[in-house]
Amino acid sequence: MKDFQHKNPKPEFGNSEPNKKDDFIFGLRPVIEAIEAGKTIDKIFLQNALHGEIYFELKNLLSKHSIRPNYVPVEKLNRFTRKNHQGVVAFISDVPFESIEDVLPQLFEEGKTPFLLILDRLTDVRNFGAICRTAECVGIHAVILPEKGAAPINSDAIKTSAGAIYNLRICKEKNLAHAVDFLQQSGVQVFSATEKAQKLIYDVDFTEPCAVVMGNEETGISKEVLHHSDEKIKLPIEGKTQSLNVSVACGAILYEAVRQKLSATV
């Protein structure tokens, strides 16, 4: 009998809290069948040092569909479920993922000025949902995430976004620095938000094709992505508290971009 589980999981994704409504499945054959049925795999965890014919069938299928598993000790899988998971747990997303290399040419062909958002290892589910809500409101064409280290797109994220995630194109990329390079080669300027910047958000031009990068809640944007960016930008901070919540900061930056775009059309 196949094992399916849809309640009381206890995932550990960065700073995100356990969510009792996450959709996940476990067991080798159920996961294989889900992938073959075209389900979107948000996260998949495989037990270290698994062996066997069905396991290798799953590995080949993951490779075929370019799904990168996370290899973890059995103790982590046991925290998701105490049932017979057979060394595999997969989280299912009903939000389809795309590639920015497919999305960007489409935007240009449609005559749009690309307005993109890159979230570098953002781990808090509610921050992610709140940012997606703002992103959809301001007209972001696509949100770009890393395959690993990002918050799961689960029911908490969708609820916090007020359903906005369903109206956004979500791109998952193996390497964000390579994605940044692709954007730049395609004529998109990449602005990274960091407290270490010299320029304020009011001193750069958001009216041309551009992407805004927001970083991890604790460590900010990775050095590699910062190095590849065109400009580093920051918000003015006048008080004693030297940082803003990432979703609040993102909203302020995106609405400055909207202000510039509206001014340019007057």
Side-chain angles (χ1 to χ4, degrees):
M1 183 176 178
K2 300 169 189 174
D3 285 325
F4 286 82
Q5 176 75 6
H6 294 282
K7 61 182 180 178
N8 297 329
K10 296 183 178 180
E12 294 183 356
F13 296 112
N15 296 330
S16 62
E17 296 176 5
N19 179 2
K20 295 182 179 179
K21 296 182 180 178
D22 287 339
D23 290 325
F24 76 102
I25 58 176
F26 51 83
L28 289 163
R29 187 57 65 187
V31 172
I32 287 172
E33 292 184 3
I35 296 170
E36 290 178 337
K39 297 293 185 182
T40 301
I41 303 297
D42 189 11
K43 303 274 185 181
I44 183 166
F45 296 87
L46 296 182
Q47 182 180 329
N48 292 325
L50 276 184
H51 298 284
E53 183 178 341
I54 302 179
Y55 168 69
F56 287 111
E57 180 183 345
L58 173 60
K59 280 200 68 176
N60 289 335
L61 193 62
L62 293 175
S63 178
K64 177 182 176 182
H65 289 269
S66 300
I67 300 170
R68 301 177 71 184
N70 299 278
Y71 293 96
V72 298
V74 67
E75 289 80 11
K76 181 157 188 173
L77 298 177
N78 290 340
R79 288 198 289 270
F80 294 127
T81 178
R82 289 291 181 181
K83 294 186 178 180
N84 182 19
H85 50 65
Q86 298 178 307
V88 56
V89 173
F91 284 76
I92 306 296
S93 172
D94 56 359
V95 177
F97 300 135
E98 302 182 69
S99 168
I100 192 59
E101 293 189 9
D102 295 327
V103 171
L104 188 62
Q106 293 173 18
L107 295 175
F108 281 121
E109 288 170 9
E110 293 166 3
K112 296 177 179 176
T113 301
F115 185 23
L116 310 169
L117 178 61
I118 302 173
L119 301 179
D120 184 5
R121 300 167 299 118
L122 199 75
T123 58
D124 186 280
V125 171
R126 291 176 180 83
N127 276 338
F128 174 71
I131 286 172
C132 285
R133 184 173 185 172
T134 302
E136 201 278 331
C137 286
V138 303
I140 285 289
H141 294 120
V143 177
I144 304 170
L145 312 171
E147 280 191 359
K148 290 191 174 183
I153 302 178
N154 57 23
S155 56
D156 250 2
I158 292 168
K159 182 178 179 181
T160 308
S161 79
I165 287 174
Y166 290 124
N167 298 317
L168 285 168
R169 301 181 79 167
I170 306 292
C171 300
K172 279 206 168 185
E173 304 297 331
K174 291 181 180 179
N175 187 305
L176 283 188
H178 292 171
V180 167
D181 285 343
F182 169 74
L183 293 175
Q184 292 167 324
Q185 291 165 12
S186 304
V188 177
Q189 276 204 302
V190 178
F191 301 117
S192 286
T194 170
E195 298 166 8
K196 300 175 183 177
Q198 297 300 314
K199 283 190 175 183
L200 295 177
I201 62 170
Y202 316 111
D203 299 327
V204 297
D205 184 2
F206 289 110
T207 62
E208 298 298 322
C210 68
V212 174
V213 187
M214 303 300 297
N216 175 273
E217 295 89 345
E218 299 296 328
T219 59
I221 298 169
S222 67
K223 291 181 180 179
E224 188 178 20
V225 172
L226 274 177
H227 176 73
H228 284 253
S229 301
D230 292 296
E231 295 276 7
K232 301 178 183 66
I233 58 173
K234 67 178 180 180
L235 286 160
I237 301 291
E238 300 297 332
K240 294 181 180 179
T241 305
Q242 291 301 302
S243 64
L244 290 166
N245 170 276
V246 64
S247 66
V248 174
C250 185
I253 294 169
L254 295 184
Y255 268 99
E256 167 58 18
V258 170
R259 185 197 66 78
Q260 290 188 21
K261 291 173 185 293
L262 290 175
S263 298
T265 60
V266 175

